[in-house]
Amino acid sequence: METTKVERDSMSKLPVFKNEKNNLYLPFMSSFYNAFAQPFGWALFRIVIGGMLVVEGWPKIIAPFAQVGFVENLGFYPGWLWSPMLAGMQFFGGMFIVVGLLTRPIALANAIMLAITLWFHFAHPYGDALLTQAGIDALNSGSDFFTPNGIKRLADGGGAFLTSVQLKAELASIFWTAGALLIAAFGGAHFSLDRLFKKQF
């Protein structure tokens, strides 16, 4: 049976994250969703995304100019400015996201950085092989230079291994970018300093 325009309008106006009992197939789940699942789920998601940024940003913080050449290759000049700035945005920005302070602008800035990283992975794949034909021949001759696991991974010169690494890099960047954009859209929300201070962007 077709829904009327009034019914469609009323459905489109249902609050997405408000779980009223009369809108649920299992009304008794309303309190669980509102008081536990959504607040803790969102806080955990925000902490995971921010925490990952902190972990990935730490090596850049202890060597803030190590990325100068990389960022200049991406077209960001001068590298001596952008390299430490991006390191700080990732490391300290991740901390801000974890605690939910100035969440939206910091998450958006990191999302842009992560989107550029995603583009880089697509534009500069790892390649097809780790070994030259001479290396593959040495591998196939039973060289003691390779572990059994290394022989298995490099049997085709490393092509399958690098394809797997490339896919994981792309998927990780997609997850991070989407996660940062989601946080930028919805803000710190539950268990955040933004909510405690009753002020956010």
Side-chain angles (χ1 to χ4, degrees):
M1 186 168 132
E2 265 189 47
T3 58
T4 66
K5 184 177 185 313
V6 174
E7 287 173 322
R8 284 196 304 272
D9 287 346
S10 66
M11 282 190 287
S12 68
K13 291 177 183 171
L14 288 175
V16 178
F17 295 111
K18 201 73 172 161
N19 302 285
E20 304 294 346
K21 289 185 178 181
N22 60 334
N23 295 326
L24 295 174
Y25 288 111
L26 302 173
F28 63 88
M29 294 295 287
S30 174
S31 296
F32 173 75
Y33 292 143
N34 289 329
F36 181 79
Q38 289 180 181
F40 283 94
W42 183 253
L44 178 62
F45 180 72
R46 197 189 69 233
I47 290 166
V48 166
I49 294 292
M52 287 166 61
L53 287 168
V54 170
V55 169
E56 285 293 314
W58 173 246
K60 299 177 182 77
I61 281 293
I62 60 175
F65 297 103
Q67 301 271 310
V68 169
F70 174 71
V71 296
E72 287 187 349
N73 283 337
L74 291 176
F76 291 89
Y77 292 94
W80 59 262
L81 173 66
W82 281 101
S83 180
M85 191 167 77
L86 291 173
M89 184 174 68
Q90 192 172 12
F91 183 74
F92 296 110
M95 288 184 173
F96 273 57
I97 290 171
V98 166
V99 298
L101 180 62
L102 304 175
T103 313
R104 281 194 173 111
I106 288 175
L108 180 60
N110 273 284
I112 292 167
M113 175 195 70
L114 292 165
I116 293 169
T117 303
L118 176 59
W119 166 83
F120 179 82
H121 284 307
F122 281 119
H124 302 87
Y126 285 104
D128 295 329
L130 288 168
L131 297 180
T132 63
Q133 188 57 50
I136 295 172
D137 292 341
L139 185 75
N140 291 332
S141 69
S143 172
D144 291 336
F145 291 113
F146 300 98
T147 64
N149 192 39
I151 291 171
K152 183 178 175 183
R153 287 180 179 268
L154 299 174
D156 64 346
F161 174 70
L162 286 174
T163 298
S164 173
V165 171
Q166 176 71 26
L167 179 63
K168 288 183 186 303
E170 291 169 1
L171 292 177
S173 291
I174 289 169
F175 172 74
W176 282 12
T177 305
L181 283 171
L182 197 60
I183 293 168
F186 289 96
H190 306 281
F191 309 112
S192 68
L193 290 180
D194 286 339
R195 185 167 180 152
L196 179 67
F197 300 152
K198 298 181 180 175
K199 204 81 174 170
Q200 63 179 325
F201 280 90

